[in-house]
Amino acid sequence: MYRYILKRLLMLIPVLLGVAFLIFAIMDVAAGDPVYSVAGADATPEQIEALREKMGLNGSLIERYIRYIGNLLKGDLGTSYISKLDVMKVYLQRLPNTLKLATLTMIVAVGMAIPLGITAAVHQNSIRDTTSMVLALIGLSMPNFWLGLLLILFFSLKLGWFPTGGSEGFRSIVLPAITVGTSLAALLTRTTRSSMLDVLRQDYLRTARAKGVSERNVIQKHALRNALIPIITIFGVQFSNVLGGSVLAETVFAWPGVGRLVVDAIDQRDIPTVTGALVMTTMLVTIVNLLVDLVYAFVDPRIKAQYTK
Amino acid sequence: MTNQEANDLILDIKNLKVRYETQDGIVRAVNGIDLTLRKKRTLGLVGETGAGKTTTALAIMRLVPDPPGIVECDKLEISGQDILSLPENKLEHVRGNDISMIFQDPMTALNPVFTVGDQIAESLEIHEHLSSKDAKERAGDMLELVGIPRERANEYPHQFSGGMKQRVVIAIALACNPQLLLADEPTTALDVTIQAQVLELMNELKEKYDTSMIMITHDLGCVAEVCDEVAVMYAGRIVEEGTLEDVFNRTLHPYTEGLFNSLPNIKDRKAKLKPIKGLMPDPTNLPVGCSFAPRCNYVSDACLKAQPQLRSISQTHRVACTAYDNPEFHIERRIL
Ligand SMILES: Nc1ncnc2c1ncn2[C@@H]1O[C@H](COP(=O)(O)OP(=O)(O)O)[C@@H](O)[C@H]1O
Ligand code: SF4
Ligand SMILES: [Mg+2]
């Protein structure tokens, strides 16, 4: 198992280098030559060349990429064209906000999806099943910003329980987490339901019942554990997505996360910030993927056996 | 029945009926059967696939899936305890403790994500309230009992062969030393050599623990090896029952005869196999008269009019066949 983890960690290096190169190349092509806009219209060619050197934009794409990776290894993502601040610093400032929101979002999503999905599967084709599935459908089709506004209207403006936005600690992330969590819960509920339906037909549950295991444990222990793999897969994808920042929720609730950092930076053609934030997000996502794979092994011994082979 | 015999009664079923209400119609799987079993005895429940054997066993466990299954029964007692009226939480104490079941297919009967040790230990934790450490220890003992080294307790089902898995399933079923063991075709899914080993093991364990057993099978060889009594089932009814000698040496029912005739003859290897012609009737649409009539060599008009009832031919031997209205009637197969 440790050898597998080590192998996977080593495999991360070429993946990250490749993805970083892609981001780097795309930004280079899409953004054009930023030197002119920074230097201003009446700069002399000499001034422009000097500026290019200062901004680290001299040399071919490959040369600049290698330089960028070298700096990255030292933890340096360059400085923002706009604010002139250190990109790494700005990213790390935003990251905890995004992590907090992402974590609570996933807790909300899982907290709704697993019980709903299990209930739907166990009472297949009953009123409880239909209700859960209609709820999931509503969650899936309701636009994020709209749910967000509804929640603000009711819980912030009317009841005054939560702030309408900003970053006043835990109370500020409750509404955005519910907003994003609800929309994620929809797919997660359907995944839980269909995976549970598959497992509920299995013979080993009958063996468990014949042993005298209570119906509750048959479902929560014997069945759920076997149904987890597809659920974890969807969870991993969704968690990766919210780690990139939930742009809409961050906008509606004025939450200073990574998502808005990137979107604002794109607006302002702030290439170092965009590239830096994307590279860092990629890194996080690959680590999450690795963790998901490890959780698979933990949940299902047959997968673990494949890893150790 | 004497008092002593009544006290010895492990299983007492009266008029068990099970139907499955499916979209394609009502499957009448079990149609009014009576079964009794005394202490330390083994009953062979024999019949073709679809006869209703598994459903009968599930009904005894109160594990018929609902929906689509609906069970009706006048009496279902295990050692004098009424199982019919027990609520679900009380049934959990009975299952795995008083009655255990070994299922047909060992490949799918074990939970793939738990170690075999944990799966054996689970019943001990539930019924004997052992700590998880003690239960693990006992699970190791159980593994050794069925011929698997205890060190393998920490392995998962996918690391075992089919025969080994069936041994684990047997260990689970016997962990709490049940009074009644329902073995549903425990050897069907296994290789012939492994079959013999598993049967021998079950015989040994049954003797050792004084367990009563219902051995469900369509293999008459297996019946001869382990059973004291035999009940032959056809289309959800018992058509002949008696002691092993009754049914094997003084066969009465044409269906039972057909089962014997379809066995390879050991004495005369050149003799042709004579499988019973035709198929079992559609369980969603059973005939009014004898369900075996379309396949029976002795059929007469009387057979088609009413369902034949079980009648006693001797103290222990009963048959459900209209032909025996005629005292002269006998089937071709005579005492071997
Ligand atoms: N869950 C179920 N739903 C519908 N029909 C079933 C179900 N289980 C069994 N049956 C039907 O009931 C009849 C008896 O089946 P079963 O008890 O499994 O017989 P056996 O074990 O003797 O092969 C068969 O016709 C079978 O198709
Ligand atoms: S009742 Fe008639 S049809 Fe049925 S088994 Fe007896 S002889 Fe054959
Ligand atoms: Mg069966």
Side-chain angles (χ1 to χ4, degrees):
Chain A
M1 198 68 199
Y2 292 110
R3 280 194 44 203
Y4 174 79
I5 299 175
L6 195 70
K7 205 171 91 191
R8 284 290 307 265
L9 281 173
L10 287 177
M11 268 160 58
L12 278 185
I13 297 171
V15 171
L16 282 174
L17 286 178
V19 174
F21 181 75
L22 271 182
I23 296 170
F24 201 75
I26 290 171
M27 291 311 291
D28 192 75
V29 175
D33 193 343
V35 178
Y36 292 96
S37 53
V38 175
D42 45 355
T44 63
E46 290 77 28
Q47 279 174 320
I48 286 179
E49 266 330 291
L51 189 60
R52 189 184 296 284
E53 196 126 336
K54 193 169 151 244
M55 289 170 73
L57 289 172
N58 52 331
S60 71
L61 178 65
I62 303 290
E63 275 173 307
R64 278 178 287 132
Y65 170 70
I66 291 170
R67 214 181 307 142
Y68 188 83
I69 297 296
N71 287 337
L72 178 63
L73 289 178
K74 288 181 265 165
D76 178 10
L77 292 174
T79 41
S80 158
Y81 291 163
I82 310 297
S83 63
K84 313 288 181 217
L85 291 174
D86 184 64
V87 172
M88 184 63 102
K89 243 193 202 139
V90 174
Y91 177 80
L92 289 180
Q93 232 166 33
R94 297 289 188 101
L95 182 63
N97 286 340
T98 290
L99 284 180
K100 273 186 237 164
L101 180 55
T103 308
L104 194 64
T105 298
M106 291 321 290
I107 291 175
V108 169
V110 169
M112 293 203 281
I114 302 265
L116 270 181
I118 291 178
T119 312
V122 169
H123 305 280
Q124 193 192 4
N125 298 332
S126 74
I127 184 80
R128 283 191 244 189
D129 184 15
T130 318
T131 314
S132 307
M133 285 307 102
V134 167
L135 282 179
L137 192 67
I138 293 173
L140 200 63
S141 33
M142 186 147 47
N144 254 343
F145 72 90
W146 188 59
L147 176 62
L149 290 177
L150 281 185
L151 290 175
I152 290 179
L153 224 71
F154 193 72
F155 289 104
S156 306
L157 300 179
K158 203 160 161 155
L159 297 175
W161 290 357
F162 301 105
T164 54
S167 41
E168 303 166 25
F170 180 75
R171 273 165 27 106
S172 302
I173 57 172
V174 173
L175 291 186
I178 292 178
T179 307
V180 186
T182 306
S183 67
L184 299 185
L187 177 62
L188 215 47
T189 305
R190 297 163 73 99
T191 310
T192 306
R193 177 180 182 270
S194 69
S195 177
M196 278 298 281
L197 279 178
D198 256 5
V199 172
L200 287 175
R201 287 192 268 107
Q202 301 297 319
D203 280 353
Y204 50 76
L205 295 191
R206 204 167 59 173
T207 311
R209 291 193 182 98
K211 269 196 281 194
V213 177
S214 67
E215 192 57 28
R216 205 178 111 182
N217 277 335
V218 168
I219 302 300
Q220 294 181 3
K221 184 176 163 197
H222 287 263
L224 184 58
R225 175 86 180 264
N226 278 283
L228 276 182
I229 297 295
I231 302 174
I232 294 168
T233 307
I234 300 297
F235 177 92
V237 172
Q238 294 186 330
F239 190 52
S240 299
N241 278 338
V242 288
L243 279 181
S246 314
V247 179
L248 268 171
E250 287 178 12
T251 309
V252 172
F253 292 95
W255 178 255
V258 173
R260 274 202 19 234
L261 175 70
V262 175
V263 171
D264 291 348
I266 290 174
D267 267 355
Q268 298 163 330
R269 295 179 168 265
D270 184 358
I271 294 158
T273 305
V274 176
T275 314
L278 289 184
V279 167
M280 290 305 283
T281 301
T282 310
M283 196 123 80
L284 271 183
V285 168
T286 40
I287 289 170
V288 167
N289 280 338
L290 175 58
L291 288 179
V292 164
D293 283 355
L294 295 182
V295 174
Y296 284 161
F298 181 72
V299 168
D300 192 330
R302 289 164 297 184
I303 296 178
K304 188 170 180 176
Q306 279 171 12
Y307 288 176
T308 36
K309 237 194 286 182
Chain B
M1 204 185 305
T2 65
N3 243 348
Q4 178 56 41
E5 280 174 339
N7 285 341
D8 267 3
L9 218 49
I10 289 289
L11 176 69
D12 191 0
I13 308 178
K14 289 268 163 333
N15 197 19
L16 172 68
K17 291 180 183 168
V18 184
R19 61 177 191 273
Y20 293 106
E21 302 199 332
T22 69
Q23 271 153 3
D24 306 326
I26 299 178
V27 178
R28 304 208 179 266
V30 178
N31 302 300
I33 68 172
D34 299 348
L35 277 180
T36 53
L37 186 64
R38 285 187 291 125
K39 240 182 212 150
K40 303 188 200 176
R41 305 284 281 179
T42 297
L43 169 73
L45 194 57
V46 189
E48 285 165 289
T49 301
K53 307 180 298 291
T54 301
T55 304
T56 305
L58 287 175
I60 297 171
M61 298 290 289
R62 293 274 314 269
L63 278 177
V64 172
D66 171 21
I70 295 179
V71 179
E72 283 168 14
C73 189
D74 294 346
K75 184 178 186 184
L76 173 52
E77 286 183 2
I78 308 285
S79 298
Q81 185 186 20
D82 177 21
I83 300 296
L84 277 182
S85 59
L86 284 188
E88 187 62 28
N89 60 345
K90 292 271 164 51
L91 278 172
E92 285 158 13
H93 295 299
V94 174
R95 292 184 193 130
N97 195 24
D98 299 323
I99 341 169
S100 283
M101 185 158 173
I102 297 172
F103 291 98
Q104 207 158 345
D105 186 358
M107 305 313 281
T108 57
L110 294 171
N111 193 324
V113 302
F114 297 115
T115 64
V116 298
D118 282 341
Q119 295 190 55
I120 300 171
E122 193 175 18
S123 11
L124 293 160
E125 285 169 37
I126 296 170
H127 299 297
E128 305 196 353
H129 310 288
L130 296 187
S131 70
S132 86
K133 190 168 158 282
D134 292 347
K136 267 288 193 36
E137 192 60 33
R138 280 272 300 278
D141 299 343
M142 287 309 296
L143 276 180
E144 285 187 340
L145 192 68
V146 297
I148 298 175
R150 67 190 308 129
E151 299 78 58
R152 300 200 62 184
N154 290 325
E155 294 182 16
Y156 292 91
H158 72 265
Q159 294 165 285
F160 290 79
S161 68
M164 295 285 250
K165 277 189 193 140
Q166 193 61 307
R167 285 164 188 268
V168 173
V169 172
I170 293 171
I172 292 176
L174 291 177
C176 297
N177 199 1
Q179 308 171 43
L180 175 60
L181 179 62
L182 309 174
D184 188 0
E185 314 216 15
T187 58
T188 308
L190 307 177
D191 293 340
V192 184
T193 45
I194 314 283
Q195 273 184 7
Q197 288 173 18
V198 168
L199 272 188
E200 193 179 324
L201 171 72
M202 293 188 65
N203 249 344
E204 258 169 48
L205 295 175
K206 189 185 78 183
E207 303 280 300
K208 194 162 172 182
Y209 290 104
D210 288 345
T211 319
S212 310
M213 181 160 91
I214 295 186
M215 167 68 79
I216 294 175
T217 181
H218 55 246
D219 176 359
L220 290 168
C222 151
V223 173
E225 237 163 286
V226 295
C227 299
D228 308 305
E229 288 152 44
V230 183
V232 181
M233 213 172 162
Y234 189 78
R237 289 192 180 86
I238 289 172
V239 294
E240 178 169 4
E241 63 184 355
T243 62
L244 186 66
E245 286 86 58
D246 285 339
V247 176
F248 272 58
N249 298 344
R250 294 181 286 277
T251 311
L252 291 173
H253 199 279
Y255 175 61
T256 318
E257 179 185 44
L259 287 180
F260 280 112
N261 284 344
S262 54
L263 287 180
N265 190 337
I266 309 168
K267 290 189 197 128
D268 178 7
R269 286 181 190 278
K270 285 198 206 87
K272 264 210 232 130
L273 290 190
K274 284 178 280 179
I276 311 173
K277 58 183 200 289
L279 294 172
M280 269 225 292
D282 176 4
T284 59
N285 184 20
L286 290 176
V288 189
C290 173
S291 356
F292 189 58
R295 306 170 73 181
C296 182
N297 293 330
Y298 310 97
V299 63
S300 69
D301 284 348
C303 305
L304 307 175
K305 292 205 180 88
Q307 199 48 239
Q309 301 298 312
L310 275 173
R311 71 180 80 203
S312 294
I313 299 296
S314 76
Q315 189 105 59
T316 51
H317 199 176
R318 308 198 305 152
V319 67
C321 172
T322 314
Y324 287 92
D325 284 349
N326 171 8
E328 302 288 296
F329 177 77
H330 66 81
I331 56 171
E332 271 171 40
R333 177 187 160 87
R334 306 311 297 263
I335 303 162
L336 295 172

